Short mmCIF file of all heavy atoms in Angstrom, two decimals:
data_model
loop_
_atom_site.label_atom_id
_atom_site.label_comp_id
_atom_site.label_asym_id
_atom_site.label_seq_id
_atom_site.Cartn_x
_atom_site.Cartn_y
_atom_site.Cartn_z
N ALA A 364 2.70 47.65 -41.09
CA ALA A 364 2.86 47.58 -42.54
C ALA A 364 3.53 48.85 -43.05
O ALA A 364 4.49 48.78 -43.84
CB ALA A 364 1.50 47.39 -43.21
N SER A 365 3.06 49.99 -42.59
CA SER A 365 3.62 51.25 -43.05
C SER A 365 5.09 51.38 -42.64
O SER A 365 5.95 51.81 -43.41
CB SER A 365 2.75 52.39 -42.51
OG SER A 365 3.48 53.56 -42.38
N ALA A 366 5.38 50.95 -41.40
CA ALA A 366 6.77 51.02 -40.93
C ALA A 366 7.68 50.10 -41.74
O ALA A 366 8.80 50.47 -42.10
CB ALA A 366 6.84 50.66 -39.45
N VAL A 367 7.19 48.88 -42.05
CA VAL A 367 8.01 47.94 -42.82
C VAL A 367 8.27 48.51 -44.22
O VAL A 367 9.39 48.43 -44.74
CB VAL A 367 7.34 46.54 -42.91
CG1 VAL A 367 8.10 45.65 -43.89
CG2 VAL A 367 7.30 45.89 -41.54
N ILE A 368 7.23 49.11 -44.81
CA ILE A 368 7.39 49.67 -46.16
C ILE A 368 8.43 50.80 -46.13
O ILE A 368 9.33 50.85 -46.97
CB ILE A 368 6.03 50.15 -46.71
CG1 ILE A 368 5.15 48.91 -47.00
CG2 ILE A 368 6.22 50.99 -47.98
CD1 ILE A 368 3.69 49.23 -47.25
N ASN A 369 8.35 51.65 -45.11
CA ASN A 369 9.32 52.75 -45.02
C ASN A 369 10.73 52.24 -44.72
O ASN A 369 11.71 52.75 -45.27
CB ASN A 369 8.88 53.77 -43.98
CG ASN A 369 7.66 54.54 -44.46
OD1 ASN A 369 7.55 54.83 -45.66
ND2 ASN A 369 6.73 54.81 -43.58
N LEU A 370 10.79 51.24 -43.84
CA LEU A 370 12.09 50.65 -43.53
C LEU A 370 12.73 50.08 -44.79
O LEU A 370 13.91 50.31 -45.07
CB LEU A 370 11.89 49.52 -42.49
CG LEU A 370 13.11 48.67 -42.20
CD1 LEU A 370 14.14 49.44 -41.40
CD2 LEU A 370 12.73 47.39 -41.44
N ALA A 371 11.93 49.33 -45.55
CA ALA A 371 12.44 48.72 -46.78
C ALA A 371 12.96 49.80 -47.71
O ALA A 371 14.05 49.68 -48.27
CB ALA A 371 11.33 47.92 -47.46
N LYS A 372 12.18 50.86 -47.85
CA LYS A 372 12.60 51.92 -48.79
C LYS A 372 13.91 52.55 -48.34
O LYS A 372 14.79 52.80 -49.14
CB LYS A 372 11.51 52.98 -48.89
CG LYS A 372 10.28 52.42 -49.60
CD LYS A 372 9.40 53.53 -50.16
CE LYS A 372 8.15 52.97 -50.82
NZ LYS A 372 8.38 52.16 -51.99
N SER A 373 14.03 52.78 -47.01
CA SER A 373 15.25 53.44 -46.56
C SER A 373 16.45 52.51 -46.67
O SER A 373 17.58 52.96 -46.72
CB SER A 373 15.08 53.98 -45.14
OG SER A 373 14.91 52.90 -44.26
N LEU A 374 16.22 51.19 -46.70
CA LEU A 374 17.33 50.25 -46.88
C LEU A 374 17.50 49.88 -48.35
O LEU A 374 18.26 48.99 -48.69
CB LEU A 374 17.10 48.98 -46.05
CG LEU A 374 17.15 49.13 -44.53
CD1 LEU A 374 16.83 47.81 -43.87
CD2 LEU A 374 18.52 49.63 -44.09
N ASP A 375 16.71 50.53 -49.21
CA ASP A 375 16.81 50.28 -50.64
C ASP A 375 16.35 48.88 -51.03
O ASP A 375 16.90 48.24 -51.92
CB ASP A 375 18.27 50.48 -51.10
CG ASP A 375 18.30 51.35 -52.34
OD1 ASP A 375 17.20 51.79 -52.77
OD2 ASP A 375 19.40 51.57 -52.88
N LEU A 376 15.36 48.38 -50.31
CA LEU A 376 14.81 47.06 -50.60
C LEU A 376 13.42 47.22 -51.20
O LEU A 376 12.68 48.12 -50.83
CB LEU A 376 14.68 46.23 -49.31
CG LEU A 376 15.95 45.95 -48.52
CD1 LEU A 376 15.61 45.41 -47.14
CD2 LEU A 376 16.82 44.98 -49.28
N LYS A 377 13.08 46.33 -52.12
CA LYS A 377 11.71 46.29 -52.63
C LYS A 377 10.83 45.65 -51.56
O LYS A 377 11.30 44.82 -50.77
CB LYS A 377 11.63 45.44 -53.90
CG LYS A 377 12.36 46.04 -55.06
CD LYS A 377 11.51 47.12 -55.71
CE LYS A 377 12.26 47.81 -56.83
NZ LYS A 377 11.97 49.26 -56.87
N VAL A 378 9.56 46.01 -51.53
CA VAL A 378 8.70 45.40 -50.53
C VAL A 378 7.46 44.80 -51.17
O VAL A 378 6.85 45.40 -52.05
CB VAL A 378 8.38 46.40 -49.38
CG1 VAL A 378 7.79 47.67 -49.92
CG2 VAL A 378 7.48 45.78 -48.35
N VAL A 379 7.17 43.56 -50.77
CA VAL A 379 6.05 42.79 -51.32
C VAL A 379 5.08 42.50 -50.17
O VAL A 379 5.51 42.12 -49.09
CB VAL A 379 6.54 41.44 -51.89
CG1 VAL A 379 5.39 40.67 -52.53
CG2 VAL A 379 7.67 41.64 -52.88
N ALA A 380 3.78 42.68 -50.42
CA ALA A 380 2.79 42.26 -49.42
C ALA A 380 2.16 40.96 -49.91
O ALA A 380 1.76 40.86 -51.07
CB ALA A 380 1.73 43.33 -49.25
N GLU A 381 2.11 39.97 -49.04
CA GLU A 381 1.53 38.68 -49.43
C GLU A 381 0.17 38.50 -48.76
O GLU A 381 -0.12 39.12 -47.74
CB GLU A 381 2.47 37.53 -49.06
CG GLU A 381 2.78 37.45 -47.57
CD GLU A 381 3.70 36.30 -47.19
OE1 GLU A 381 4.34 35.72 -48.07
OE2 GLU A 381 3.75 36.01 -45.99
N GLY A 382 -0.66 37.67 -49.36
CA GLY A 382 -1.97 37.39 -48.75
C GLY A 382 -2.98 38.51 -48.92
O GLY A 382 -3.88 38.67 -48.09
#
Side-chain angles (χ1 to χ4, degrees):
S365 153
V367 171
I368 290 167
N369 289 324
L370 172 72
K372 292 200 182 295
S373 65
L374 292 177
D375 228 2
L376 300 167
K377 293 280 176 217
V378 55
V379 183
E381 60 179 15

